[in-house]
Amino acid sequence: MSRRLPLMLAVLLVCAASAGVAQVAPAVSLADQMRAMLGKPAASGAAAFSPAPAVAAGATGLGSFDAPIVVNGPPQLQQSAAELAQRFPAQHRAAMTKAFQESFVFWQKLEKQLGLTPNDVAAAVAAFIAGNYAAFMQQQVPDEDFKSLVLQMQSLLARNAAFTQSNPVAKRAMFEQLAMVGTFMAVYREQLNRQPSPSEEVHFRNAARANLEAALGLAVERIQIGSQGLMAR
């Protein structure tokens, strides 16, 4: 799930790093909502999450098992980005609103490049998990593993009646914010790879840890993403 980031987003990320805004976890309350969507995992073991169907080698899309959960509510990107930016210090909120909006534009390019169905909320959930996982583990998630994660999230969300019956506007906001945060974390990871900053790295990984643990209800050390999607050690 790694691609070259646009110039504008790169500039905003440099500004964010210099200001130290990554000291604040960008979406803990959003992660709490996601945890409710996914349900409580099993107490222990790899069966905490059902494995994803296999993705055919070399497939440009997700294959015959693909069952996207498309959100059709009207776009609300400015509002979604501004709400996420409220979690940052006041003097940085305008820049972070732009950064999250740019992250969503980048996400839309990734949807196309990976053969994903546009506006699939399950793919946005996968992006949130994979982006924060990459941030904490200090390495990107391979595309094929990400596709497996998307399939797995489609299956989990389809079984969640509270989510499937929720308001279209709320679904759209969650889709946008999950995609924004996941993409932001992934590209920030690339930024730190190019311009290392030990102190910034600590704050960034702490933010990723907080997001993942709030979203999944598991200690980050137990989380693993592989060919079967998300598994618990």
Side-chain angles (χ1 to χ4, degrees), residues 44 55 57 134 140 164 174 192 201 203 206 208 217:
S44 62
V55 178
Q140 296 294 346
T164 58
M174 180 161 288
L192 286 177
E201 186 74 58
H203 298 310
N206 285 342

Side-chain angles (χ1 to χ4, degrees), residues 91-172:
Q91 66 270 31
H92 303 306
R93 288 173 188 165
M96 292 310 303
T97 297
K98 291 181 181 179
F100 284 125
Q101 288 178 297
E102 284 289 326
S103 294
F104 190 80
V105 173
F106 191 34
W107 164 250
Q108 290 180 310
K109 293 179 181 179
L110 285 176
E111 283 181 324
K112 184 175 181 179
Q113 291 168 356
L114 294 174
L116 306 178
T117 299
N119 301 330
D120 179 9
V121 68
V125 171
F128 179 94
I129 295 171
N132 282 284
Y133 181 85
F136 184 80
M137 298 300 293
Q138 300 176 291
Q139 61 184 30
Q140 296 294 346
V141 174
D143 287 351
E144 293 309 309
D145 291 352
F146 179 72
K147 291 176 182 179
S148 294
L149 182 61
V150 172
L151 294 178
Q152 185 183 34
M153 294 304 108
Q154 288 174 351
S155 177
L156 282 171
L157 293 186
R159 299 197 301 266
N160 188 315
F163 170 74
T164 58
Q165 297 170 13
S166 62
N167 185 297
V169 175
K171 282 184 185 176
R172 179 73 198 192

Side-chain angles (χ1 to χ4, degrees), residues 60-85:
T60 55
L62 297 183
S64 59
F65 294 101
D66 191 14
I69 303 173
V70 177
V71 290
N72 294 315
Q76 43 191 313
L77 298 179
Q78 171 68 28
Q79 180 178 341
S80 293
E83 287 178 359
L84 290 176

Side-chain angles (χ1 to χ4, degrees), residues 165-220:
Q165 297 170 13
S166 62
N167 185 297
V169 175
K171 282 184 185 176
R172 179 73 198 192
M174 180 161 288
F175 162 71
E176 291 176 353
Q177 292 188 352
L178 288 170
M180 286 175 180
V181 173
T183 306
F184 177 85
M185 298 299 280
V187 296
Y188 208 128
R189 167 75 272 143
E190 294 185 15
Q191 177 67 30
L192 286 177
N193 285 343
R194 285 191 293 271
Q195 298 181 0
S197 170
S199 60
E200 185 66 20
E201 186 74 58
V202 171
H203 298 310
F204 184 58
R205 294 188 73 211
N206 285 342
R209 174 192 288 273
N211 287 340
L212 283 173
E213 292 185 348
L216 302 177
L218 293 169
V220 70

